[in-house]
Amino acid sequence: MFYYILIAFIIIVIALFGTGYLLKKKHYTRINTLEEQKLALRERPVIEELSKVKKLKLTGQTEKLFESWRSSWDEIETRLFPDVEEVLMEAEMNTDKYRFGTATQNENDLEQMLVTIDRQMNQILNGLKELLTSEEKNAKESRATKEKLAEMRRIILTQGFKLGGTLPRYEAELNEAADKINRYDDLTDQGDHLEAREIIISAKKDLEVLEDEMDKTPKLLHETETVLPDELADLKQGYLEMVNGGYFLEQLEFEKEHIRLSEQVKKANGRVLNGELSDAETLITEIHTEINLFYDALEQEVHAKSFVSENRAPVSDKLEAQMELSAKLAEQITEVKETYHISEEELANYLETSAALAEQKENFSHTLMKLNEQKMAYSVIQDALKEIDERLLQIAIEQDKIGEDLRSLRKDEIEAREDVERMKRQIVQLNRKIERARLPGVPTEYKELETHMYDALSKMEESLGDRPLKMKTVSKNWQTAKEDLEHISGKATEIVENAALVESVIQYANRYRMDDKELDEELVKAEQHFYKDFQYKKALEIAVTALEKVEVGAFKKIEKAFSEE
């Protein structure tokens, strides 16, 4: 028993020793990695770069930055690196004593401390690098900027006349750029390289803006001092020529607008002189647009005059022709009223078109008067003529319809009278058709329809005899008579066909009467309806029902034979 306990104890000890060994190895690996990172940081050339910069002559902003970088390095050397060494030793000690939790905390602290040192060293080295290269960059920017300044001054000396009144402003701004360059030289000599860089970059941008403005200014000055004034002068000359040529142009308020546009041109020129080039460009575009609109308005008047000359007489002729047609229509209405009844609505339609025609005549006279007095723009006269012409077309269509309705009254009357006689003849033909069928009698229903038909024709003839003739009443009675005729025609055909079919069915069924008492009784009923009350349809229904009970499908054969006959 003791032997087994001893073996178990030995196994546990070996396991614990192995685990401890593995954990110590893991921690030492991490500690070694962190120490390598520390050594790599130690080897970075911060001191060498600080020494290079220290040899430069530094002042102002550059000197302050250098002192901040050196202070930061001193902190790293005197505090942060010693702290790193101390924590490294603690991590190794805790690892040796198997205090793995504390060792892990030490290692985490080390990582954070190394990250802080790396970040501060990067800031120092990047700043030193920028400072060391800024002198070279400044020299390059300075040469280019000085050359640009010299070139722009040559342009002003040789082509300054193109800049007109803006020349003093550009000379002053070039002098300001030159002052900035001189300030750059002073700062460079003093060793303030960073502030010097800001100054030279600012001077470069100023010259770029000035160069762009100097390129645009001559064109803008030409627009405001030559082009636009000439266009306004030409516009005024054209306006005066048209006024002297008989055009009415007061609606354009030209004098007022010409003064306003002239002031706008002066305003645009002032903006160019003040260096507000973008605003000047916008205003120049607006002025050009307004001048073009004036030209469009004048051109419209020229076209309108041509239209008026071509269409004045045709519109006048159309107006007179329609007045004559309207007068004839009035006479026609008077004549028709003696024979036919004309509704208030129809009269109102004519009176409305007549009033509209009179209104157009008045509008045309007023337009001609203004034209002769030269007190209306041709464009307004053109619109008035177009409106009168369109309204005359509408009036013509409306009055043509009224005239057609009047003419149709007589036509409808004649047709109605002829149709009365036609319908009378058709009733006689229907009666003859029934007579030829040699029926035992005529059903009461047909006689009632015939009576109603004659009543409808009588009412129609009566309405045709009214004076004045009311065609609406005639049309109503006419429609009733047509419907009655259609109904009675269908009924006559039905009576004749049903009677013939009943006879055929009874004749066919007679072969079964002797042997089928029920059939015989039903056929007797059918014969009674046929001969006594003349209900041929009822008789047919009874006979067919009885026959189908004896012989299914017999009626279809009878119908087929009837159709073939």
Side-chain angles (χ1 to χ4, degrees):
M1 182 67 180
F2 176 77
Y3 176 74
Y4 291 117
I5 293 172
L6 179 62
I7 291 174
F9 177 75
I10 293 171
I11 291 171
I12 291 170
V13 170
I14 293 172
L16 290 174
F17 179 79
T19 302
Y21 174 78
L22 292 175
L23 289 173
K24 283 181 68 176
K25 184 177 181 180
K26 178 181 177 183
H27 279 276
Y28 273 124
T29 299
R30 188 180 180 195
I31 290 169
N32 290 336
T33 300
L34 292 171
E35 188 165 10
E36 288 174 1
Q37 292 178 9
K38 179 203 73 173
L39 293 174
L41 290 173
R42 278 283 194 184
E43 293 174 0
R44 297 184 72 177
V46 178
I47 296 176
E48 290 84 345
E49 295 300 315
L50 284 170
S51 300
K52 289 179 184 178
V53 174
K54 190 175 181 181
K55 294 177 182 179
L56 300 174
K57 182 181 178 181
L58 304 177
T59 59
Q61 181 181 350
T62 307
E63 186 178 16
K64 290 178 182 178
L65 278 172
F66 177 77
E67 290 300 326
S68 69
W69 294 331
R70 188 164 63 179
S71 297
S72 181
W73 173 248
D74 288 342
E75 181 186 17
I76 293 171
E77 276 283 286
T78 59
R79 186 176 68 80
L80 295 181
F81 272 130
D83 289 348
V84 167
E85 293 290 346
E86 184 178 346
V87 176
L88 272 172
M89 291 177 63
E90 289 180 2
E92 291 175 351
M93 180 182 66
N94 288 323
T95 299
D96 289 338
K97 294 181 178 181
Y98 296 98
R99 297 172 184 169
F100 298 125
T102 305
T104 298
Q105 183 62 48
N106 294 147
E107 292 159 9
N108 292 340
D109 292 343
L110 274 171
E111 280 187 348
Q112 188 58 46
M113 293 168 70
L114 292 173
V115 167
T116 300
I117 292 171
D118 182 61
R119 183 171 59 249
Q120 287 187 223
M121 290 178 75
N122 284 336
Q123 291 175 349
I124 295 169
L125 289 170
N126 290 337
L128 292 171
K129 182 179 179 181
E130 181 180 356
L131 181 59
L132 288 170
T133 58
S134 65
E135 185 177 13
E136 181 181 349
K137 290 180 180 178
N138 288 355
K140 185 177 180 180
E141 295 284 358
S142 173
R143 285 194 299 273
T145 304
K146 289 176 181 178
E147 289 174 1
K148 176 60 69 176
L149 176 63
E151 178 186 352
M152 293 175 69
R153 278 180 165 166
R154 283 195 298 272
I155 291 173
I156 284 182
L157 287 173
T158 58
Q159 303 179 35
F161 64 93
K162 294 181 181 180
L163 298 173
T166 64
L167 181 60
R169 180 175 67 82
Y170 283 118
E171 288 176 338
E173 292 187 7
L174 286 177
N175 289 334
E176 289 179 8
D179 291 341
K180 283 187 177 182
I181 294 172
N182 292 334
R183 174 65 177 158
Y184 158 79
D185 290 336
D186 293 341
L187 290 171
T188 300
D189 292 340
Q190 294 169 11
D192 195 349
H193 302 288
L194 294 179
E195 187 173 352
R197 178 157 186 76
E198 293 177 3
I199 295 294
I200 198 62
I201 290 174
S202 175
K204 179 183 177 183
K205 289 182 179 178
D206 290 346
L207 290 177
E208 288 173 351
V209 173
L210 280 177
E211 184 179 31
D212 182 60
E213 291 180 355
M214 285 173 61
D215 287 340
K216 292 180 179 179
T217 296
K219 180 181 177 181
L220 296 177
L221 287 174
H222 182 63
E223 285 280 341
T224 57
E225 294 175 359
T226 304
V227 175
L228 288 175
D230 288 349
E231 286 189 5
L232 285 176
D234 292 342
L235 180 62
K236 185 170 186 178
Q237 182 180 354
Y239 170 82
L240 293 175
E241 288 177 357
M242 289 183 67
V243 170
N244 294 331
Y247 286 88
F248 180 86
L249 301 174
E250 290 183 9
Q251 75 279 5
L252 298 179
E253 298 183 333
F254 182 82
E255 293 297 333
K256 175 183 175 182
E257 291 300 309
H258 189 271
I259 292 172
R260 183 182 66 81
L261 287 174
S262 298
E263 292 299 321
Q264 289 291 85
V265 172
K266 292 179 182 178
K267 185 177 180 180
N269 183 253
R271 287 181 178 177
V272 176
L273 295 176
N274 292 332
E276 303 169 14
L277 302 190
S278 179
D279 292 341
E281 287 176 331
T282 301
L283 187 53
I284 288 169
T285 300
E286 291 174 356
I287 296 170
H288 275 299
T289 300
E290 293 198 55
I291 290 174
N292 290 334
L293 288 175
F294 262 107
Y295 273 114
D296 290 343
L298 295 177
E299 185 177 359
Q300 183 182 2
E301 289 301 316
V302 173
H303 292 311
K305 181 179 181 182
S306 176
F307 178 88
V308 171
S309 299
E310 293 174 2
N311 291 276
R312 171 182 172 180
V315 172
S316 177
D317 293 342
K318 286 183 183 179
L319 180 60
E320 292 303 319
Q322 194 60 43
M323 292 292 293
E324 291 179 9
L325 290 173
S326 182
K328 290 179 180 179
L329 184 58
E331 294 175 2
Q332 187 179 355
I333 290 173
T334 302
E335 292 174 359
V336 171
K337 283 177 67 177
E338 295 176 0
T339 306
Y340 300 96
H341 172 76
I342 299 177
S343 68
E344 294 297 326
E345 182 182 355
E346 291 172 324
L347 288 173
N349 288 340
Y350 168 73
L351 292 174
E352 185 179 341
T353 59
S354 180
L357 188 59
E359 181 183 357
Q360 297 312 309
K361 183 177 182 180
E362 184 179 348
N363 290 343
F364 185 74
S365 299
H366 175 75
T367 302
L368 285 186
M369 181 183 70
K370 292 295 183 181
L371 177 62
N372 294 331
E373 293 175 355
Q374 295 184 350
K375 290 185 177 180
M376 185 180 288
Y378 281 109
S379 57
V380 178
I381 296 172
Q382 173 183 260
D383 292 342
L385 289 178
K386 287 182 177 180
E387 184 177 349
I388 291 170
D389 191 51
E390 291 174 2
R391 192 68 185 97
L392 285 176
L393 178 60
Q394 294 173 356
I395 292 171
I397 293 171
E398 292 167 6
Q399 290 196 339
D400 284 347
K401 184 178 183 303
I402 294 171
E404 183 61 31
D405 290 344
L406 292 175
R407 288 188 293 273
S408 67
L409 289 174
R410 178 59 179 163
K411 178 182 176 183
D412 291 346
E413 179 194 2
I414 294 172
E415 187 178 346
R417 292 185 184 279
E418 291 175 350
D419 211 30
V420 168
E421 299 304 320
R422 180 188 65 80
M423 287 189 282
K424 286 180 179 180
R425 291 193 300 272
Q426 194 163 346
I427 294 173
V428 171
Q429 291 172 359
L430 289 174
N431 290 334
R432 288 177 180 173
K433 178 180 180 180
I434 292 176
E435 289 175 3
R436 286 195 299 270
R438 296 180 180 179
L439 301 176
V442 179
T444 303
E445 183 182 3
Y446 181 83
K447 292 179 179 179
E448 290 174 352
L449 287 174
E450 185 179 13
T451 301
H452 195 275
M453 177 70 203
Y454 278 116
D455 287 343
L457 289 174
S458 177
K459 288 181 180 179
M460 185 175 171
E461 288 180 313
E462 184 180 336
S463 61
L464 284 168
D466 290 340
R467 286 294 180 271
L469 186 62
K470 298 179 181 178
M471 282 307 299
K472 284 190 177 180
T473 303
V474 171
S475 296
K476 181 180 178 182
N477 293 333
W478 192 359
Q479 182 62 33
T480 301
K482 287 179 180 178
E483 292 172 358
D484 286 352
L485 180 60
E486 183 178 353
H487 195 184
I488 197 173
S489 297
K491 182 57 69 175
T493 301
E494 178 187 321
I495 289 170
V496 172
E497 289 182 355
N498 285 341
L501 279 170
V502 170
E503 289 179 336
S504 297
V505 171
I506 292 174
Q507 288 175 5
Y508 187 89
N510 282 336
R511 68 187 68 181
Y512 299 112
R513 292 184 77 163
M514 295 296 293
D515 300 324
D516 194 322
K517 184 178 180 181
E518 183 181 351
L519 172 64
D520 180 58
E521 290 175 354
E522 291 299 310
L523 291 179
V524 169
K525 290 179 183 178
E527 288 170 345
Q528 287 175 348
H529 283 299
F530 185 88
Y531 290 107
K532 291 184 178 181
D533 54 12
F534 318 124
Q535 295 296 316
Y536 305 115
K537 184 177 181 181
K538 182 68 174 176
L540 179 62
E541 291 174 354
I542 294 171
V544 169
T545 302
L547 177 60
E548 287 292 320
K549 289 180 180 179
V550 177
E551 183 184 338
V552 177
F555 182 61
K556 286 187 177 179
K557 291 192 293 184
I558 296 169
E559 272 190 317
K560 182 178 179 182
F562 183 81
S563 299
E564 290 175 353
E565 291 176 2

